[in-house]
Amino acid sequence: MIRHRYQTILGAIPDDWKARSLRSLLTDDLSGDWGDDEGDVTLSVLRSTNFTDSGNLDLADIARRGFSSTKAAQIQVQPNDVLIERSGGGPNQPVGRVAMIREMMPETGFANFVQALRPNPSEIVPELLLWMLHQLNRSGFVEKLQHQTTQMRNLDLRDYLKILLPVPSNPEEQTSIAETLNAADDYIRALEEEIRKAERVAVALNQVHFAAGPHTVRFPYEYGTTRTIPHGWASKRLGKIADVTSGITLNQDREAADNGVRYLTVVNVYRGRIDLTEERYLESRGNEAESKRLNRHDILVVEGHANPGEIGRAALVSEREVGMSFQNHLFRVRLKNEDEVRARFLVRALNSPRVRRHWVATANTSSGLSTINRTALRRLIIPLPKPGEQDLIVERLEAAEEQVTALNKQLIAARRVKQSLLQNLLTGKTRLKL
């Protein structure tokens, strides 16, 4: 059983660990400088904008400044330097993010809004110190050490350097903890890259199958240019393959009373899915209960939106929504012959980049709202492969999306494991075998 005696900023620690102030673990801490354009030495300067929440530096935007040779030597970064975002951003933006210099970066210094901490390797493994400070930032404690001016927030470095950190007495244990956390982080980054690749595959498949593509078809959004569809495909207007129906107009006397039915609004219909978090009821009249009823495989299309990119977003009705009604800002698309056109294929065609571009180019705009009408929707040209190919296309797309979903679940689990490791390894609640 592990006994805990010492209390640190990250929690209680075992008896064979030490509670050490941050300052005691350093050989030096250095303030940066912004320099001037007339200095005889030019350096790339790391600043607040180069920090990220992940603990890595974003080097896409590096400033170049001049310095005297003496100052340039003082602020030249070195491997294992831990950089602290001391000031920056706006008055309501917390600072204190950390990053490490892991390799030589010639002719690179740090600005006056950045503090460099130089770990003493005889006292602590630099990578372990980085993880401690990163966890400290995540805990919210660093925000308590900040003071706000009218222009920005600043980290109180004097109190920051006094904080007590948990330090394993055995250097081998320090190394083992750092390596374990690095391995968890590497796994997460690898998963994130796999997700990006899987997402690119899903997007590419969607573009390949729905971009436009035995005859030539002239699509309205192309403004007169010609696109061809694959050999063996047909093309039909949506009104030829489906009935398009407008929803029920809502007003005050539609409040549910004796004949209330559930209905869907624009807020329920997303691109590719229906969200029933917010359910509503209206009073049904006459034959509306049947004529405005949703059936399985119906497709709902959004008529208008303040964001032009959201016009025409479509979702397939599932068993959950069968029997519900829909408001007038939605269109119901009901296929005439599902042996000719598959609903799962059509909803993807309606959500495709080609159709989205078409609506952005042709939608009506009034009072800040972009809209499409029933006639325009019925005239929309849909490229159609044979039913068997429609099924195959949908299967490919669903497989690609399922891969993305599975990887995202792995990523969520990996992040939870990493957080558990941070909480337990850094305080000695979990000890690693050496």
Side-chain angles (χ1 to χ4, degrees):
M1 180 177 179
I2 298 174
R3 293 186 298 123
H4 294 80
R5 183 175 66 184
Y6 301 110
Q7 188 71 27
T8 71
I9 196 65
L10 295 180
I13 58 174
D15 287 348
D16 59 333
W17 285 29
K18 299 177 182 178
R20 299 283 301 276
S21 70
L22 174 56
R23 188 188 298 278
S24 71
L25 301 174
L26 308 175
T27 60
D28 208 350
D29 65 275
L30 305 167
S31 298
D33 196 283
W34 189 231
D36 57 62
D37 294 331
E38 297 180 0
D40 54 352
V41 178
T42 301
L43 297 181
S44 298
V45 181
L46 299 171
R47 47 195 169 145
S48 178
T49 54
N50 299 119
F51 285 85
T52 67
D53 293 335
S54 67
N56 298 307
L57 288 169
D58 180 359
L59 303 179
D61 179 21
I62 297 287
R64 298 282 291 177
R65 302 287 291 177
F67 298 88
S68 68
S69 57
T70 301
K71 179 57 71 174
Q74 291 175 350
I75 66 169
Q76 168 68 48
V77 296
Q78 299 178 13
N80 294 331
D81 279 357
V82 176
L83 303 183
I84 308 292
E85 179 193 26
R86 184 176 181 177
S87 304
N92 298 316
Q93 178 182 332
V95 294
R97 292 178 294 182
V98 295
M100 174 175 278
I101 305 299
R102 290 185 165 83
E103 57 188 19
M104 288 296 298
M105 297 180 66
E107 300 181 350
T108 302
F110 46 98
N112 51 335
F113 292 161
V114 176
Q115 194 81 9
L117 309 182
R118 296 217 163 125
N120 185 341
S122 65
E123 301 291 341
I124 192 165
V125 172
E127 287 276 2
L128 179 58
L129 179 61
L130 177 69
W131 281 115
M132 288 180 181
L133 298 181
H134 186 60
Q135 177 68 354
L136 187 65
N137 218 23
R138 289 173 58 90
S139 71
F141 180 81
V142 176
E143 291 190 38
K144 300 177 182 178
L145 301 181
Q146 298 175 25
H147 60 273
Q148 184 171 321
T149 67
T150 56
Q151 295 181 339
M152 65 180 62
R153 299 183 78 174
N154 300 287
L155 180 65
D156 190 331
L157 194 67
R158 182 177 61 178
D159 288 341
Y160 187 80
L161 292 174
K162 291 179 181 178
I163 58 177
L164 294 180
L165 295 174
V167 181
S169 301
N170 188 340
E172 291 184 9
E173 186 172 12
Q174 292 186 26
T175 300
S176 183
I177 292 172
E179 289 177 345
T180 301
L181 292 172
N182 287 341
D185 207 38
D186 290 342
Y187 178 64
I188 287 173
R189 282 200 295 270
L191 275 176
E192 290 171 339
E193 180 58 28
E194 287 299 310
I195 290 171
R196 285 191 289 269
K197 290 178 181 178
E199 287 173 338
R200 288 196 292 269
V201 169
V203 170
L205 283 172
N206 192 58
Q207 291 174 338
V208 165
H209 292 305
F210 294 107
H215 48 273
T216 297
V217 178
R218 196 176 294 273
F219 292 107
Y221 82 92
E222 294 291 346
Y223 296 105
T225 61
T226 299
R227 287 285 190 92
T228 59
I229 59 176
H231 181 73
W233 287 34
S235 61
K236 293 185 178 181
R237 296 189 183 277
L238 182 61
K240 295 292 185 181
I241 61 175
D243 293 319
V244 179
T245 305
S246 299
I248 298 173
T249 301
L250 302 180
N251 47 47
Q252 291 182 344
D253 61 356
R254 282 291 188 168
E255 186 174 348
D258 301 325
N259 196 25
V261 297
R262 291 190 304 161
Y263 73 99
L264 298 176
T265 72
V266 172
V267 299
N268 302 113
V269 179
Y270 291 79
R271 203 173 295 281
R273 67 182 179 89
I274 294 175
D275 182 3
L276 294 183
T277 302
E278 186 176 344
E279 291 192 7
R280 303 181 184 187
Y281 290 79
L282 58 76
E283 184 69 9
S284 178
R285 297 174 179 170
N287 68 344
E288 284 180 345
E290 185 58 35
S291 65
K292 304 294 184 180
R293 181 182 187 273
L294 293 174
N295 293 339
R296 194 168 187 270
H297 293 166
D298 284 345
I299 297 170
L300 290 173
V301 178
V302 171
E303 175 216 30
H305 202 279
N307 180 356
E310 298 298 324
I311 308 167
R313 65 189 186 198
L316 189 64
V317 172
S318 68
E319 289 288 353
R320 297 182 311 161
E321 298 85 40
V322 169
M324 296 180 70
S325 191
F326 56 103
Q327 74 160 128
N328 59 314
H329 292 305
L330 295 173
F331 295 110
R332 182 188 66 194
V333 176
R334 178 171 291 173
L335 288 169
K336 297 178 179 180
N337 184 0
E338 290 195 45
D339 291 331
E340 177 188 16
V341 183
R342 307 292 200 234
R344 290 160 62 210
F345 175 85
L346 181 58
V347 72
R348 289 180 176 274
L350 293 172
N351 283 326
S352 68
R354 178 187 74 80
V355 172
R356 293 167 72 172
R357 290 194 299 269
H358 168 69
W359 293 135
V360 169
T362 63
N364 299 314
T365 303
S366 177
S367 302
L369 187 67
S370 298
T371 61
I372 58 178
N373 57 46
R374 180 169 172 265
T375 299
L377 183 58
R378 294 182 75 253
R379 288 177 177 174
L380 182 68
I381 298 173
I382 305 294
L384 291 173
K386 300 292 186 183
E389 189 173 355
Q390 294 177 35
D391 293 336
L392 182 59
I393 289 171
V394 171
E395 288 171 8
R396 288 173 178 168
L397 293 171
E398 289 180 349
E401 292 162 357
E402 288 170 3
Q403 175 71 0
V404 173
T405 300
L407 287 170
N408 273 309
K409 289 181 179 178
Q410 291 181 44
L411 180 60
I412 292 171
R415 286 174 172 165
R416 288 174 178 166
V417 169
K418 176 186 169 183
Q419 186 55 38
S420 176
L421 289 172
L422 282 166
Q423 293 171 347
N424 294 305
L425 291 181
L426 293 180
T427 55
K429 291 179 181 177
T430 298
R431 306 293 290 270
L432 298 173
K433 293 182 178 180
L434 304 178

